[in-house]
């Protein structure tokens, strides 16, 4: 490969003993190059490349930080109490799996974090549904049932929420290969069971 | 003319004007842009440091059964490709030193074959590095966006199969590119591959980043919590470091290959190509930095390494005997 041949070329020039390498035209890199009449500085490509790279990286950094500052306007319309309830009920249950088994703690932490992101998506969906239904009640259970009736997809997502309510969710995660149908079948009783848990968590945080 | 007498003539004459058949070998002395030379001690130190660091990562992942996860398999694959790059550079330097000392003939059959093998090793490790970064990004993407089905999608067996496919493809490409290294198409495909992969990985990470940002905004809108500006900056800093390191370490080398193919006789290009060794050293530095930004960010891996070092240093201390047993049982 030409990169290696360049290296051989370089070394031979250093050693001055392997000029054999440089006689063949295919080891050509430093062919007849004249340095007369250069308009710009001779290292202009080097300087230009590094300056361009630095500018690009800094630009990328600023774009990423700007992404954090601008947000969608509809997120500001949600009721903070409702949101606090959703997030806090999850946070209360979130604490349980992490304390349980240290062998799985790392795995659980990662999954919990990723599931947390998923859950936050669902909070967003639920809030949007809430706005569309204009339900003003703060009873989350009624709200859950309303939303669950509205679409099958939201029912699936509720199952992920109720899954978080189960303390030993590592075991249920191993059973997750059963598929989503099983979760859908068992959905109504789980919603009823979530009521005392949610109320308890609400009490814990208040 | 034999190489020895050529060098003797040049030493005797001590001048730059030499017979035409030696003009090519002297052109870098003639030109204003002399080769920027990196001392070989620096080269070897950086290469060996990279190899040792990546070996540590491999040992830590093998020892700790908690780390037998797809995510850590991909990090191991990245460490393997970094080891291969550093090995390539080390072997090449050793061969060049042997050539200089006269133990190897410059254009022997054996040396040419070794050259080709090492070139394909280099392309293999380079491609392996890029594809592994892509696999790591895809794995993190699936973790976040398909969280519930993650364990079904990314099982350990599937991760092994993915890695096998990646390395087989890279080995095939390495051999093909070495055989067809003279073709323009090889160079173009090689250099175009990198920007495309980079842009794709960037898109994956930005999508993940947007989700994390919306999550942070939800938290921020809670009345009891402070606005986590630091968290958002941390994500931006992490992503910038990932891509900044990749670009700074591989970019110069890729530009070098492009310039070498398309404008070898241009004085500006020749001046850029004279800093080739700095660019090669940057690739070695990539092997040192990659474990820091991928592997050592995991607390489990760090604690495994601490246990390994504590074990070797404190085997006689009574309070560490239980941890020693614990580590051995992993």
């Amino acid at each position: 490969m030409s990169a290696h041949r360049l290296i051989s070329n370089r070394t031979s020039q250093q050693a001055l003993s392997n000029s054999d390498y440089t006689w063949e035209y295919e080891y050509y890199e430093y062919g007849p190059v004249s340095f007369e009449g250069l308009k710009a500085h001779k290292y202009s490509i080097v300087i230009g490349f590094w300056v361009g790279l630095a500018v690009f990286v800094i630009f990328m950094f600023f774009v990423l930080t700007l992404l954090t500052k601008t947000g969608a306007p509809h997120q500001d319309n949600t009721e903070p109490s409702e949101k606090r309830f959703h997030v806090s009920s999850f946070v209360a249950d979130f604490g349980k799996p992490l304390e349980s088994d240290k062998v799985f703690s790392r795995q659980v932490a990662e999954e919990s974090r990723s599931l947390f992101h998923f859950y936050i998506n669902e909070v967003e969906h639920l809030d949007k549904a809430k706005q569309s239904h204009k339900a003003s009640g703060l009873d989350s259970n009624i709200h859950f049932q309303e939303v669950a009736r509205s679409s099958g997809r939201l029912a699936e997502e509720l199952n992920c929420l109720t899954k978080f309510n189960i303390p030993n969710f590592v075991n249920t995660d191993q059973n997750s290969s059963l598929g989503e149908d099983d979760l859908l079948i068992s959905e109504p009783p789980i919603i009823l069971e979530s009521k005392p848990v949610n109320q308890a968590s609400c009490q814990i945080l208040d | 003319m034999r190489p020895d007498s050529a060098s003797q003539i040049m030493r005797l004459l001590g001048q730059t004007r030499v017979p035409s058949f030696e003009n090519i070998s002297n052109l870098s002395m003639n030109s204003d842009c002399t080769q920027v030379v990196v001392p070989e001690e620096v080269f070897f130190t950086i290469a060996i440091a990279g190899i040792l660091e990546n070996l540590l990562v491999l040992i830590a992942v093998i020892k700790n059964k908690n780390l037998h996860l797809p995510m850590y398999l991909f990090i191991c694959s990245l460490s393997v490709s970094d080891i291969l790059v550093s090995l390539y550079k080390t072997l090449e330097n050793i061969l060049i030193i042997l050539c200089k000392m006269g133990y190897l003939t410059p254009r022997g059959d054996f040396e040419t074959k070794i050259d080709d093998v090492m070139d394909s090793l280099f392309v293999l490790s380079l491609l392996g590095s890029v594809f592994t970064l892509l696999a790591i990004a895809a794995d993190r993407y699936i973790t976040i966006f398909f969280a519930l089905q993650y364990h079904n999608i990314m099982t350990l067996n599937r991760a092994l199969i993915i890695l096998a496919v990646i390395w087989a493809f890279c080995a095939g490409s390495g051999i093909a590119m070495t055989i067809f290294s003279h073709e323009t198409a090889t160079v173009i495909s090689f250099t175009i591959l990198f920007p495309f992969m980079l842009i794709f990985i960037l898109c994956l990470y930005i999508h993940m980043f947007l989700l994390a940002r919306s999550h942070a905004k939800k938290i921020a809108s809670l009345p009891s919590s402070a606005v986590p500006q630091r968290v958002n900056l941390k994500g931006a800093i992490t992503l910038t470091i990932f891509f900044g390191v990749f670009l700074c370490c591989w970019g110069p080398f890729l530009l070098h290959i492009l310039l070498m193919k398309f404008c070898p006789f241009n004085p500006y290009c020749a001046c850029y190509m004279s800093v080739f060794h700095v660019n090669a050293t940057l690739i070695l530095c990539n092997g040192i930095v990659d474990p820091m930004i991928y592997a050592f960010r995991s607390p489990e891996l760090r604690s495994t390494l601490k246990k390994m070092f504590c074990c070797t240093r404190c085997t006689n201390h009574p309070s560490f005997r239980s941890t020693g047993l614990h580590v051995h049982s992993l």
Side-chain angles (χ1 to χ4, degrees):
Chain A
M1 188 169 162
S2 40
H4 168 70
R5 290 181 182 125
L6 169 67
I7 296 167
S8 321
N9 201 6
R10 185 266 311 176
T11 338
S12 60
Q13 285 156 5
Q14 268 189 343
L16 299 178
S17 60
N18 296 351
S19 346
D20 210 6
Y21 266 109
T22 62
W23 288 8
E24 296 294 321
Y25 194 67
E26 62 180 4
Y27 300 108
Y28 49 175
E29 294 75 348
Y30 298 145
V33 180
S34 69
F35 280 87
E36 266 101 50
L38 291 184
K39 287 181 224 139
H41 189 264
K42 58 187 178 180
Y43 283 110
S44 53
I45 293 188
V46 179
I47 297 170
F49 172 76
W50 284 105
V51 167
L53 194 64
V55 164
F56 177 73
V57 170
I58 292 173
F59 168 73
M60 193 168 65
F61 177 69
F62 279 123
V63 164
L64 289 173
T65 37
L66 274 177
L67 280 180
T68 70
K69 294 206 166 38
T70 59
H74 70 270
Q75 289 172 5
D76 302 332
N77 295 337
T78 54
E79 285 189 8
S81 58
E82 177 92 28
K83 198 188 302 281
R84 177 184 59 197
F85 172 79
H86 288 312
V87 177
S88 62
S89 70
F90 173 73
V91 166
D93 299 314
F94 185 74
K96 291 177 202 164
L98 289 182
E99 291 158 12
S100 55
D101 195 354
K102 281 196 180 151
V103 174
F104 292 98
S105 64
R106 175 85 180 101
Q107 200 170 346
V108 161
E110 274 186 327
E111 291 170 326
S112 305
R113 203 181 308 125
S114 57
L115 290 166
F116 189 20
H117 293 313
F118 177 83
Y119 173 66
I120 292 299
N121 258 345
E122 306 325 310
V123 170
E124 208 175 332
H125 287 310
L126 289 173
D127 290 335
K128 281 182 202 162
K130 178 185 184 278
Q131 285 170 13
S132 65
H133 288 282
K134 291 184 186 169
S136 60
L138 288 177
D139 188 353
S140 65
N141 208 27
I142 297 173
H143 172 66
F144 281 164
Q145 286 170 359
E146 268 183 58
V147 170
R149 280 187 224 113
S150 64
S151 66
R153 171 133 167 63
L154 282 175
E156 235 177 82
E157 294 153 4
L158 282 174
N159 294 325
C160 95
L161 165 64
T162 54
K163 202 165 122 174
F164 297 162
N165 290 341
I166 303 167
N168 196 5
F169 95 104
V170 173
N171 287 338
T172 60
D173 197 33
Q174 286 167 358
N175 293 333
S176 66
S177 55
L178 294 173
E180 294 152 3
D181 294 339
D182 293 320
L183 295 173
L184 281 170
I185 290 168
S186 58
E187 174 230 341
I190 292 173
I191 288 181
L192 292 173
E193 282 163 20
S194 71
K195 195 199 310 192
V197 178
N198 289 337
Q199 285 176 353
S201 58
C202 212
Q203 286 164 9
I204 289 168
L205 290 160
D206 294 334
Chain B
M1 178 175 271
R2 293 180 56 224
D4 298 326
S5 43
S7 56
Q8 276 172 8
I9 285 177
M10 286 195 293
R11 271 187 230 117
L12 284 172
L13 293 177
Q15 61 187 358
T16 53
R17 290 189 72 80
V18 290
S20 58
F21 56 80
E22 279 176 317
N23 225 359
I24 296 175
S25 68
N26 282 331
L27 270 164
S28 74
M29 289 159 58
N30 268 341
S31 71
D32 295 338
C33 288
T34 52
Q35 272 279 354
V36 175
V37 173
V38 174
E40 288 181 6
E41 294 82 17
V42 174
F43 233 71
F44 276 123
T45 312
I46 295 180
I48 288 172
I51 291 176
L52 287 177
E53 203 178 344
N54 286 293
L55 271 179
L56 268 182
V57 170
L58 283 178
I59 290 172
V61 171
I62 291 171
K63 272 189 93 150
N64 187 351
K65 290 208 169 42
N66 288 349
L67 299 178
H68 291 181
L69 296 172
M71 183 177 103
Y72 292 101
L73 272 186
F74 294 131
I75 288 180
C76 276
S77 168
L78 187 67
S79 295
V80 165
S81 67
D82 288 335
I83 287 176
L84 285 176
V85 170
S86 304
L87 264 180
Y88 161 78
K89 280 286 165 203
T90 315
L91 281 176
E92 192 179 49
N93 264 18
I94 290 175
L95 281 179
I96 287 172
I97 289 175
L98 286 178
C99 259
K100 270 200 259 185
M101 285 161 56
Y103 292 119
L104 293 176
T105 57
R107 290 179 66 82
D109 251 353
F110 174 68
E111 286 77 18
T112 319
K113 284 200 185 106
I114 292 240
D115 283 346
D116 287 338
V117 166
M118 280 179 15
D119 287 338
S120 39
L121 185 74
F122 178 66
V123 177
L124 159 79
S125 52
L126 206 145
L127 288 176
S129 184
V130 173
F131 279 107
T132 307
L133 289 177
L134 176 67
I136 290 176
D139 178 65
R140 289 177 180 177
Y141 189 83
I142 295 175
T143 304
I144 288 190
F145 286 98
F146 299 96
L148 292 182
Q149 300 106 19
Y150 175 74
H151 279 300
N152 298 335
I153 295 175
M154 189 64 77
T155 58
L156 209 62
N157 286 338
R158 275 196 202 155
L160 285 169
I161 291 172
I162 289 171
L163 281 179
V165 166
I166 285 177
W167 283 103
F169 174 74
C170 294
S173 307
I175 295 172
M177 282 191 183
T178 310
I179 293 174
F180 297 110
S181 57
H182 289 293
E183 309 280 335
T184 312
T186 310
V187 172
I188 290 183
S189 60
F190 191 66
T191 40
I192 280 184
L193 184 73
F194 285 87
F196 275 133
M197 302 282 282
L198 200 71
I199 290 170
F200 185 57
I201 295 175
L202 193 65
C203 290
L204 286 180
Y205 274 117
I206 284 183
H207 197 194
M208 286 190 264
F209 189 70
L210 287 175
L211 178 65
R213 172 187 60 95
S214 69
H215 144 232
K217 285 189 90 62
K218 300 275 183 197
I219 298 286
S221 63
L222 295 178
S224 54
S225 68
V227 177
Q229 280 298 327
R230 195 173 40 87
V231 175
N232 296 335
L233 264 187
K234 195 174 169 219
I237 289 173
T238 307
L239 273 184
T240 310
I241 288 175
F242 280 170
F243 290 99
V245 164
F246 188 80
L247 282 174
C248 288
C249 292
W250 290 109
F253 174 72
L254 294 174
L255 185 62
H256 178 95
I257 290 188
L258 272 179
L259 293 182
M260 202 163 62
K261 190 69 198 175
F262 292 115
C263 63
F265 304 124
N266 189 319
Y268 299 111
C269 298
C271 275
Y272 181 84
M273 293 193 283
S274 67
V275 294
F276 176 72
H277 295 293
V278 179
N279 300 342
T281 313
L282 283 172
I283 295 180
L284 288 181
C285 290
N286 182 57
I288 293 184
V289 174
D290 265 348
M292 288 183 200
I293 60 180
Y294 283 100
F296 294 153
R297 288 171 78 95
S298 143
E300 181 80 21
L301 206 138
R302 282 202 302 260
S303 68
T304 310
L305 285 174
K306 274 184 209 157
K307 279 181 200 159
M308 273 165 54
F309 285 122
C310 269
C311 232
T312 52
R313 268 189 292 150
C314 314
T315 41
N316 294 332
H317 198 282
S319 66
F320 280 101
R321 269 193 212 124
S322 57
T323 50
L325 283 173
H326 176 63
V327 169
H328 288 309
S329 67
L330 284 174

